[in-house]
Amino acid sequence: MTGALAPTKPLTAADRCDRCGAQAYVRAVLAGGGDLLFCAHHGRKYSASLRACGADIYDETDRLMKTPATAHRQER
């Protein structure tokens, strides 16, 4: 992250990539206001050029590596 304040809400499954519609894991907060959401692929592709334009990048792609908790199976 590069900014003084992080966005207050983490990205959810309802947040979609502005480029392809996949689940968003990267938020680019533009210097002039507003933000863009990207999937991991498009976040990697565009983050350097967005940073060069003054955008703050918030990358949540580390969530892709986490293993979700599973419910315990009850034996009968």
Side-chain angles (χ1 to χ4, degrees):
M1 280 190 255
T2 62
L5 298 174
T8 57
K9 296 189 304 186
L11 295 170
T12 69
D15 293 310
R16 311 312 287 177
C17 176
D18 289 329
R19 186 72 176 133
C20 71
Q23 184 173 346
Y25 288 96
V26 177
R27 180 189 313 266
V29 178
L30 305 175
D35 61 357
L36 297 170
L37 303 179
F38 295 107
C39 63
H41 165 77
H42 286 112
R44 283 189 301 273
K45 183 174 181 178
Y46 297 117
S47 63
S49 58
L50 287 164
R51 269 194 193 101
C53 293
D56 290 327
I57 306 297
Y58 300 94
D59 187 339
E60 299 180 19
T61 56
D62 59 324
R63 293 181 14 217
L64 290 167
M65 302 305 286
K66 292 182 181 176
T67 304
T70 57
H72 293 297
R73 205 176 216 193
Q74 291 184 357
E75 294 188 32
R76 297 179 186 194

